[in-house]
Amino acid sequence: MYIKRILLGIALVGLIGGGIFAYIVFGTFFTPNTNFNNDEAIVFIPSNASVSDLEERLAPLLEDFSSFKSAADRKGYLSNIKPGRYRIAKGMNNNEIVNSLRSGNLPVKVSFNNQESINDLAGRIASQIEADSVALVAAFDDKEFLKANGFDDDNKISLYIPNSYEFFWNTSAEGFRGRMLKEYNRFWTDTRKEKASALGLKPNEVIALASIVHKETAKVNERPTVAGVYLNRLRKGMLLQADPTVIYAIKKETGNYDTIIKRVLYRDLEMDSPYNTYKYAGLPPGPIAMPDITAIDAVLNPKKHNYYYFVANVEKFGYHMFAENLTQHNRNKEQYIRWINAQKINR
């Protein structure tokens, strides 16, 4: 009888202990543990994050970080923290939070267009993924990569086709560059390559010309006409005489790409730069900016006409007046010069 009581006591203690253990485990893993009012919170976990990094980002979102840490440790997450962008829903328990952080890496939409330089592009991308602008510029400028893929320092911005793309937030600079190379090759379909070849241009030359077209007019419906003017000039062996190339040459010379130049002066046309298309024949060595896809396709699908000249239309702002000969162009130009002088635009 005495032994039975002892065994019963031991069993009772074990039962109580088991219940306590089960309660602790249940509380650790399955009790809601969020501390925010929105339906969800987004958390960014950096590459090579430590437990301290994890706490810095998660503690403000949780009721009890210690219980999360205990659950994460038991599930082996703390020894294999995953970088990325993650969603935590309101009311999630620690088990669900760990599962989300382990396998729920969410993509981000990365968008860019019309960047003036590689540095501008790097800054734009760095605001959207984990890689910083210094690492991105280094990747963009990598001479071995450029040479291996048919680019150089002058045309390297041609690689980046403006659009919106999905990336994981923790994408590295090299990872971003590699993806952009794939997108570049995907963009240049056989059809686009055939159109470029028919014009006597390589893809990078198309982009160089498209960058001028892009800068000349923001009107998408006018771009095929402007592209046609420059292609007519190239075929005839005329200088392109594109003001945006002179402006770019000035910016490149000074290193100040934020310079605002509203009027190109006659003295600017004498600037000795391979980008000055008033002085050097043919296309510049590379793009003067990042053209968007409509400008690229305008070059590949130019409007056929006999125009060789154009100047800003002062009666229809944003558009241009086109001319087949210099006499007609000079008449159009006189209107523009009178207007710009009246506006007192001297630079």
Side-chain angles (χ1 to χ4, degrees):
M1 185 63 119
Y2 180 71
I3 294 175
K4 285 183 179 181
R5 287 180 179 176
I6 292 175
L7 293 175
L8 184 61
I10 293 172
L12 186 59
V13 170
L15 186 62
I16 294 171
I20 293 172
F21 177 77
Y23 176 78
I24 292 172
V25 169
F26 182 87
T28 300
F29 282 91
F30 301 111
T31 299
N33 190 27
T34 58
N35 185 31
F36 49 85
N37 294 322
N38 295 332
D39 292 336
E40 64 178 27
I42 300 297
V43 60
F44 294 86
I45 307 298
S47 298
N48 304 311
S50 65
V51 176
S52 294
D53 294 324
L54 198 65
E55 181 173 7
E56 179 182 344
R57 286 156 178 79
L58 285 179
L61 305 175
L62 305 181
E63 288 281 359
D64 180 9
F65 180 79
S66 296
S67 69
F68 166 80
K69 182 178 176 182
S70 176
D73 188 33
R74 288 172 181 269
K75 289 174 70 72
Y77 174 75
L78 296 186
S79 60
N80 188 25
I81 298 173
K82 305 280 189 179
R85 172 178 177 263
Y86 299 94
R87 169 183 173 274
I88 299 176
K90 184 177 181 179
M92 269 188 172
N93 57 48
N94 289 329
N95 188 59
E96 293 169 327
I97 295 170
V98 173
N99 289 343
S100 179
L101 296 177
R102 175 176 281 158
S103 58
N105 195 0
L106 301 171
V108 295
K109 182 174 285 188
V110 175
S111 301
F112 61 92
N113 64 346
N114 315 142
Q115 305 303 303
E116 293 281 333
S117 69
I118 280 292
N119 287 344
D120 289 336
L121 175 62
R124 172 71 177 154
I125 301 307
S127 69
Q128 300 175 79
I129 64 173
E130 182 181 21
D132 63 30
S133 58
V134 174
L136 285 162
V137 168
F140 298 164
D141 286 345
D142 185 339
K143 287 182 169 47
E144 289 186 10
F145 172 85
L146 292 173
K147 184 177 180 181
N149 292 286
F151 297 92
D152 58 34
D153 195 54
D154 289 314
N155 64 28
K156 60 194 173 187
I157 204 169
S158 302
L159 171 61
Y160 305 94
I161 304 295
N163 214 329
S164 293
Y165 305 93
E166 276 198 351
F167 281 87
F168 286 117
W169 173 78
N170 53 302
T171 298
S172 67
E174 291 77 12
F176 175 81
R177 181 189 66 189
R179 167 72 181 284
M180 288 296 95
L181 178 61
K182 290 180 181 178
E183 295 294 341
Y184 175 87
N185 291 329
R186 185 178 292 120
F187 175 83
W188 282 102
T189 60
D190 289 342
T191 299
R192 282 193 171 107
K193 287 179 182 177
E194 287 167 6
K195 288 181 177 181
S197 180
L199 296 170
L201 301 175
K202 298 175 182 177
N204 285 347
E205 292 173 325
V206 170
I207 293 178
L209 181 52
S211 70
I212 299 174
V213 173
H214 183 106
K215 282 293 185 179
E216 286 284 16
T217 179
K219 302 298 184 181
V220 172
N221 62 342
E222 191 184 55
R223 284 177 174 170
T225 305
V226 172
V229 171
Y230 285 126
L231 288 167
N232 285 347
R233 282 179 161 261
L234 286 173
R235 278 191 287 267
K236 201 168 183 178
M238 298 171 65
L239 292 170
L240 292 184
Q241 295 185 328
D243 285 2
T245 66
V246 179
I247 294 171
Y248 178 79
I250 295 170
K251 291 179 177 182
K252 188 173 176 64
E253 177 73 18
T254 62
N256 183 5
Y257 289 90
D258 294 327
T259 301
I260 297 175
I261 299 174
K262 294 183 178 180
R263 184 173 188 173
V264 173
L265 307 177
Y266 285 113
R267 68 169 182 265
D268 298 329
L269 307 184
E270 298 302 319
M271 186 175 187
D272 189 14
S273 165
Y275 287 91
N276 182 356
T277 57
Y278 278 85
K279 198 174 186 68
Y280 290 93
L283 292 166
I288 59 172
M290 178 185 290
D292 66 24
I293 291 174
T294 66
I296 298 171
D297 281 341
V299 173
L300 293 174
N301 303 279
K303 188 170 183 179
K304 294 181 180 180
H305 51 62
N306 295 317
Y307 297 138
Y308 288 89
Y309 307 91
F310 65 93
V311 67
N313 188 336
V314 297
E315 295 179 354
K316 194 176 180 182
F317 288 104
Y319 287 93
H320 294 80
M321 294 183 289
F322 295 87
E324 295 183 4
N325 56 63
L326 192 55
T327 301
Q328 183 182 358
H329 173 65
N330 284 337
R331 286 199 298 268
N332 294 338
K333 187 177 177 182
E334 285 176 8
Q335 294 181 38
Y336 173 69
I337 291 175
R338 284 197 299 271
W339 178 85
I340 200 170
N341 287 339
Q343 304 305 311
K344 300 187 185 305
I345 298 174
N346 299 315
R347 191 50 170 156

Short mmCIF file of all heavy atoms in Angstrom, two decimals, residues 78-114:
data_model
loop_
_atom_site.label_atom_id
_atom_site.label_comp_id
_atom_site.label_asym_id
_atom_site.label_seq_id
_atom_site.Cartn_x
_atom_site.Cartn_y
_atom_site.Cartn_z
N LEU A 78 18.04 30.28 -35.31
CA LEU A 78 19.07 31.23 -34.88
C LEU A 78 20.45 30.88 -35.43
O LEU A 78 21.32 31.74 -35.54
CB LEU A 78 19.12 31.32 -33.36
CG LEU A 78 17.87 31.88 -32.67
CD1 LEU A 78 18.11 32.05 -31.18
CD2 LEU A 78 17.44 33.21 -33.30
N SER A 79 20.66 29.63 -35.77
CA SER A 79 21.96 29.23 -36.35
C SER A 79 21.92 29.31 -37.88
O SER A 79 22.92 29.02 -38.54
CB SER A 79 22.31 27.80 -35.92
OG SER A 79 21.32 26.89 -36.36
N ASN A 80 20.79 29.71 -38.44
CA ASN A 80 20.67 29.80 -39.90
C ASN A 80 19.66 30.91 -40.26
O ASN A 80 18.65 30.66 -40.89
CB ASN A 80 20.22 28.45 -40.48
CG ASN A 80 20.27 28.43 -41.99
OD1 ASN A 80 21.02 29.18 -42.61
ND2 ASN A 80 19.46 27.57 -42.59
N ILE A 81 20.01 32.14 -39.84
CA ILE A 81 19.12 33.29 -40.08
C ILE A 81 19.12 33.63 -41.58
O ILE A 81 20.17 33.77 -42.19
CB ILE A 81 19.58 34.51 -39.26
CG1 ILE A 81 19.50 34.18 -37.76
CG2 ILE A 81 18.74 35.74 -39.59
CD1 ILE A 81 20.09 35.25 -36.86
N LYS A 82 17.94 33.75 -42.13
CA LYS A 82 17.79 33.99 -43.57
C LYS A 82 17.63 35.49 -43.85
O LYS A 82 16.74 36.14 -43.28
CB LYS A 82 16.56 33.26 -44.11
CG LYS A 82 16.52 31.77 -43.82
CD LYS A 82 17.37 31.00 -44.77
CE LYS A 82 17.14 29.50 -44.62
NZ LYS A 82 17.96 28.73 -45.57
N PRO A 83 18.45 36.05 -44.74
CA PRO A 83 18.27 37.45 -45.11
C PRO A 83 17.08 37.62 -46.05
O PRO A 83 16.70 36.68 -46.76
CB PRO A 83 19.58 37.80 -45.81
CG PRO A 83 20.02 36.50 -46.43
CD PRO A 83 19.60 35.43 -45.45
N GLY A 84 16.50 38.81 -46.07
CA GLY A 84 15.42 39.07 -47.00
C GLY A 84 14.35 39.99 -46.44
O GLY A 84 14.52 40.62 -45.39
N ARG A 85 13.25 40.04 -47.14
CA ARG A 85 12.10 40.88 -46.79
C ARG A 85 10.94 39.95 -46.43
O ARG A 85 10.54 39.10 -47.22
CB ARG A 85 11.72 41.77 -47.97
CG ARG A 85 10.44 42.57 -47.84
CD ARG A 85 10.26 43.43 -49.09
NE ARG A 85 9.02 44.18 -49.07
CZ ARG A 85 7.90 43.81 -49.66
NH1 ARG A 85 7.85 42.66 -50.34
NH2 ARG A 85 6.82 44.57 -49.61
N TYR A 86 10.40 40.11 -45.21
CA TYR A 86 9.43 39.15 -44.71
C TYR A 86 8.18 39.84 -44.17
O TYR A 86 8.22 40.98 -43.71
CB TYR A 86 10.06 38.28 -43.61
CG TYR A 86 11.24 37.48 -44.11
CD1 TYR A 86 12.54 37.98 -43.96
CD2 TYR A 86 11.07 36.26 -44.75
CE1 TYR A 86 13.63 37.26 -44.44
CE2 TYR A 86 12.15 35.53 -45.22
CZ TYR A 86 13.43 36.04 -45.07
OH TYR A 86 14.49 35.33 -45.54
N ARG A 87 7.08 39.09 -44.21
CA ARG A 87 5.80 39.57 -43.73
C ARG A 87 5.46 38.88 -42.41
O ARG A 87 5.56 37.67 -42.29
CB ARG A 87 4.71 39.27 -44.75
CG ARG A 87 3.28 39.49 -44.27
CD ARG A 87 2.29 39.08 -45.35
NE ARG A 87 0.91 39.11 -44.87
CZ ARG A 87 0.30 38.12 -44.24
NH1 ARG A 87 0.96 36.97 -44.01
NH2 ARG A 87 -0.95 38.24 -43.84
N ILE A 88 5.06 39.67 -41.43
CA ILE A 88 4.54 39.13 -40.16
C ILE A 88 3.11 39.63 -40.02
O ILE A 88 2.86 40.85 -40.01
CB ILE A 88 5.38 39.58 -38.96
CG1 ILE A 88 6.83 39.08 -39.10
CG2 ILE A 88 4.77 39.08 -37.65
CD1 ILE A 88 7.75 39.57 -38.01
N ALA A 89 2.16 38.71 -39.96
CA ALA A 89 0.76 39.10 -39.84
C ALA A 89 0.40 39.32 -38.38
O ALA A 89 0.94 38.67 -37.47
CB ALA A 89 -0.14 38.02 -40.45
N LYS A 90 -0.52 40.25 -38.15
CA LYS A 90 -0.98 40.51 -36.79
C LYS A 90 -1.57 39.23 -36.19
O LYS A 90 -2.35 38.53 -36.82
CB LYS A 90 -2.04 41.61 -36.82
CG LYS A 90 -2.52 42.04 -35.44
CD LYS A 90 -3.53 43.17 -35.55
CE LYS A 90 -3.98 43.63 -34.16
NZ LYS A 90 -4.94 44.75 -34.25
N GLY A 91 -1.17 38.94 -34.93
CA GLY A 91 -1.69 37.76 -34.23
C GLY A 91 -0.90 36.49 -34.48
O GLY A 91 -1.25 35.44 -33.92
N MET A 92 0.17 36.55 -35.27
CA MET A 92 0.99 35.35 -35.48
C MET A 92 1.64 34.92 -34.18
O MET A 92 2.00 35.74 -33.33
CB MET A 92 2.09 35.64 -36.51
CG MET A 92 1.74 35.35 -37.95
SD MET A 92 3.21 35.52 -39.02
CE MET A 92 2.56 34.89 -40.57
N ASN A 93 1.81 33.61 -34.02
CA ASN A 93 2.56 33.09 -32.88
C ASN A 93 4.01 32.87 -33.30
O ASN A 93 4.37 33.02 -34.47
CB ASN A 93 1.92 31.80 -32.35
CG ASN A 93 1.81 30.71 -33.39
OD1 ASN A 93 2.77 30.42 -34.11
ND2 ASN A 93 0.64 30.07 -33.49
N ASN A 94 4.84 32.52 -32.31
CA ASN A 94 6.27 32.38 -32.58
C ASN A 94 6.56 31.30 -33.63
O ASN A 94 7.46 31.46 -34.46
CB ASN A 94 7.02 32.06 -31.29
CG ASN A 94 7.08 33.25 -30.36
OD1 ASN A 94 7.10 34.40 -30.82
ND2 ASN A 94 7.10 33.01 -29.06
N ASN A 95 5.81 30.22 -33.58
CA ASN A 95 6.02 29.14 -34.55
C ASN A 95 5.76 29.67 -35.97
O ASN A 95 6.52 29.40 -36.89
CB ASN A 95 5.09 27.97 -34.24
CG ASN A 95 5.40 26.76 -35.09
OD1 ASN A 95 6.51 26.23 -35.06
ND2 ASN A 95 4.43 26.32 -35.87
N GLU A 96 4.69 30.43 -36.12
CA GLU A 96 4.34 30.97 -37.44
C GLU A 96 5.35 32.04 -37.88
O GLU A 96 5.70 32.12 -39.07
CB GLU A 96 2.94 31.57 -37.39
CG GLU A 96 1.83 30.53 -37.19
CD GLU A 96 0.49 31.16 -36.88
OE1 GLU A 96 0.45 32.22 -36.22
OE2 GLU A 96 -0.53 30.58 -37.30
N ILE A 97 5.80 32.84 -36.93
CA ILE A 97 6.78 33.88 -37.26
C ILE A 97 8.08 33.26 -37.76
O ILE A 97 8.65 33.68 -38.77
CB ILE A 97 7.03 34.81 -36.05
CG1 ILE A 97 5.76 35.58 -35.70
CG2 ILE A 97 8.16 35.79 -36.35
CD1 ILE A 97 5.83 36.32 -34.38
N VAL A 98 8.56 32.25 -37.04
CA VAL A 98 9.79 31.58 -37.46
C VAL A 98 9.62 30.96 -38.84
O VAL A 98 10.49 31.08 -39.71
CB VAL A 98 10.21 30.50 -36.44
CG1 VAL A 98 11.40 29.69 -36.98
CG2 VAL A 98 10.59 31.14 -35.11
N ASN A 99 8.49 30.32 -39.07
CA ASN A 99 8.24 29.71 -40.37
C ASN A 99 8.23 30.75 -41.49
O ASN A 99 8.75 30.51 -42.59
CB ASN A 99 6.91 28.95 -40.37
CG ASN A 99 6.98 27.68 -39.54
OD1 ASN A 99 8.07 27.18 -39.23
ND2 ASN A 99 5.83 27.15 -39.17
N SER A 100 7.65 31.91 -41.20
CA SER A 100 7.61 32.99 -42.20
C SER A 100 9.01 33.51 -42.49
O SER A 100 9.37 33.74 -43.65
CB SER A 100 6.72 34.13 -41.71
OG SER A 100 6.68 35.18 -42.64
N LEU A 101 9.81 33.69 -41.44
CA LEU A 101 11.18 34.19 -41.60
C LEU A 101 12.09 33.16 -42.27
O LEU A 101 13.12 33.51 -42.85
CB LEU A 101 11.76 34.59 -40.25
CG LEU A 101 11.08 35.75 -39.53
CD1 LEU A 101 11.73 35.97 -38.16
CD2 LEU A 101 11.16 37.02 -40.36
N ARG A 102 11.71 31.94 -42.20
CA ARG A 102 12.54 30.88 -42.77
C ARG A 102 12.26 30.67 -44.26
O ARG A 102 13.18 30.41 -45.04
CB ARG A 102 12.30 29.57 -42.00
CG ARG A 102 13.02 28.36 -42.57
CD ARG A 102 12.81 27.15 -41.70
NE ARG A 102 13.66 27.19 -40.53
CZ ARG A 102 13.42 26.52 -39.39
NH1 ARG A 102 12.32 25.80 -39.27
NH2 ARG A 102 14.28 26.59 -38.39
N SER A 103 11.01 30.80 -44.68
CA SER A 103 10.69 30.43 -46.06
C SER A 103 9.80 31.43 -46.78
O SER A 103 9.34 31.15 -47.88
CB SER A 103 10.00 29.07 -46.07
OG SER A 103 8.82 29.08 -45.28
N GLY A 104 9.57 32.61 -46.19
CA GLY A 104 8.63 33.55 -46.80
C GLY A 104 9.26 34.79 -47.40
O GLY A 104 8.65 35.86 -47.41
N ASN A 105 10.50 34.67 -47.91
CA ASN A 105 11.18 35.83 -48.49
C ASN A 105 10.35 36.43 -49.61
O ASN A 105 10.06 35.78 -50.62
CB ASN A 105 12.55 35.41 -49.02
CG ASN A 105 13.46 36.60 -49.29
OD1 ASN A 105 13.08 37.75 -49.09
ND2 ASN A 105 14.66 36.32 -49.76
N LEU A 106 9.96 37.70 -49.44
CA LEU A 106 9.08 38.36 -50.40
C LEU A 106 9.90 39.16 -51.41
O LEU A 106 10.85 39.86 -51.04
CB LEU A 106 8.14 39.32 -49.67
CG LEU A 106 7.22 38.73 -48.61
CD1 LEU A 106 6.53 39.85 -47.84
CD2 LEU A 106 6.20 37.80 -49.24
N PRO A 107 9.53 39.09 -52.69
CA PRO A 107 10.24 39.91 -53.69
C PRO A 107 9.84 41.38 -53.57
O PRO A 107 8.80 41.71 -53.00
CB PRO A 107 9.77 39.31 -55.02
CG PRO A 107 8.43 38.73 -54.72
CD PRO A 107 8.50 38.24 -53.30
N VAL A 108 10.69 42.24 -54.10
CA VAL A 108 10.38 43.66 -54.18
C VAL A 108 10.37 44.06 -55.65
O VAL A 108 11.04 43.44 -56.47
CB VAL A 108 11.41 44.53 -53.42
CG1 VAL A 108 11.36 44.25 -51.93
CG2 VAL A 108 12.83 44.28 -53.95
N LYS A 109 9.60 45.07 -55.98
CA LYS A 109 9.59 45.58 -57.35
C LYS A 109 10.65 46.67 -57.47
O LYS A 109 10.61 47.67 -56.75
CB LYS A 109 8.22 46.14 -57.71
CG LYS A 109 8.12 46.64 -59.14
CD LYS A 109 6.70 47.06 -59.52
CE LYS A 109 5.83 45.85 -59.75
NZ LYS A 109 4.50 46.21 -60.31
N VAL A 110 11.60 46.46 -58.35
CA VAL A 110 12.68 47.42 -58.57
C VAL A 110 12.42 48.14 -59.90
O VAL A 110 12.30 47.49 -60.94
CB VAL A 110 14.05 46.72 -58.61
CG1 VAL A 110 15.16 47.69 -58.98
CG2 VAL A 110 14.34 46.06 -57.26
N SER A 111 12.31 49.45 -59.84
CA SER A 111 12.02 50.24 -61.04
C SER A 111 13.09 51.30 -61.24
O SER A 111 13.60 51.88 -60.27
CB SER A 111 10.66 50.93 -60.91
OG SER A 111 9.63 49.99 -60.71
N PHE A 112 13.43 51.56 -62.49
CA PHE A 112 14.35 52.65 -62.79
C PHE A 112 14.12 53.10 -64.23
O PHE A 112 13.70 52.32 -65.08
CB PHE A 112 15.81 52.24 -62.58
CG PHE A 112 16.28 51.10 -63.44
CD1 PHE A 112 16.87 51.33 -64.67
CD2 PHE A 112 16.12 49.79 -63.01
CE1 PHE A 112 17.29 50.27 -65.46
CE2 PHE A 112 16.56 48.72 -63.79
CZ PHE A 112 17.14 48.97 -65.02
N ASN A 113 14.39 54.37 -64.49
CA ASN A 113 14.30 54.90 -65.85
C ASN A 113 15.04 56.22 -65.94
O ASN A 113 15.25 56.90 -64.93
CB ASN A 113 12.83 55.10 -66.27
CG ASN A 113 12.12 56.13 -65.43
OD1 ASN A 113 12.60 56.53 -64.37
ND2 ASN A 113 10.96 56.57 -65.87
N ASN A 114 15.48 56.54 -67.14
CA ASN A 114 16.02 57.86 -67.45
C ASN A 114 17.14 58.34 -66.53
O ASN A 114 17.24 59.53 -66.25
CB ASN A 114 14.89 58.90 -67.44
CG ASN A 114 13.65 58.43 -68.16
OD1 ASN A 114 12.54 58.71 -67.73
ND2 ASN A 114 13.79 57.68 -69.23
#
